[in-house]
Amino acid sequence: MRITGLSALEILDSRGYPTLEVTLEAGGAQARASVPSGKSTGKNEALELRDGDKGRFEGKGVLKAVAFVGGEIAAGMVGHDLPPQEVLDRMLIELDGTPGKTHLGANAILGVSMAAARLRAQAEGQPL
């Protein structure tokens, strides 16, 4: 399946905190995934990329992560075939290039990964 579109937008989770929803289009189908907004903040946690703008959602906005999905990540994926899940996840981690996913943000990486898994299951007629 050739990837024809990848985008994200900022949505609010069940607690009213911003998170992102990723939409992936490939093979004439589309799938969306909403990223769970993490509550834990341990020192070994991957970074949930937040904007830090105290004027929006007390700095918890995710527009930076949204921009990475539609920009840097999409640039590396759109026009290519959707790889197997393990390969996709490895590609995303390598694209980020940091141990804690501090460049693209774990939320952007997870959203793309989840949307791909959902799209693949849909295409294969399998439950997620």
Side-chain angles (χ1 to χ4, degrees), residues 117-118 121-122 124-128:
R118 184 163 282 149
Q122 182 183 54
E124 294 174 1
Q126 298 291 321
L128 184 58

Side-chain angles (χ1 to χ4, degrees), residues 6-7 21-25 30-34 82 85 88 109-122:
L6 179 62
S7 61
E21 179 180 79
V22 174
T23 301
L24 177 64
E25 300 171 29
Q30 135 182 123
R32 287 190 176 92
S34 300
L82 183 62
Q85 194 70 38
L88 171 68
I109 292 169
L110 179 60
V112 172
S113 178
M114 288 172 51
R118 184 163 282 149
L119 184 68
R120 188 172 290 103
Q122 182 183 54

Side-chain angles (χ1 to χ4, degrees), residues 6-11 18-23 35-36 47-52 56 59-74 92 95-96 101-112:
L6 179 62
S7 61
L9 54 95
E10 183 177 66
I11 62 171
T19 188
L20 66 146
E21 179 180 79
V22 174
T23 301
V35 178
L47 176 76
E48 186 176 37
L49 188 61
R50 299 286 182 173
D51 298 339
R56 291 187 71 250
K60 296 181 184 196
V62 294
L63 295 179
K64 288 179 183 176
V66 167
F68 276 126
V69 171
E72 195 169 330
I73 297 173
L92 291 168
L95 181 62
D96 178 86
K101 299 173 185 72
T102 58
H103 174 62
L104 300 172
N107 45 352
I109 292 169
L110 179 60
V112 172

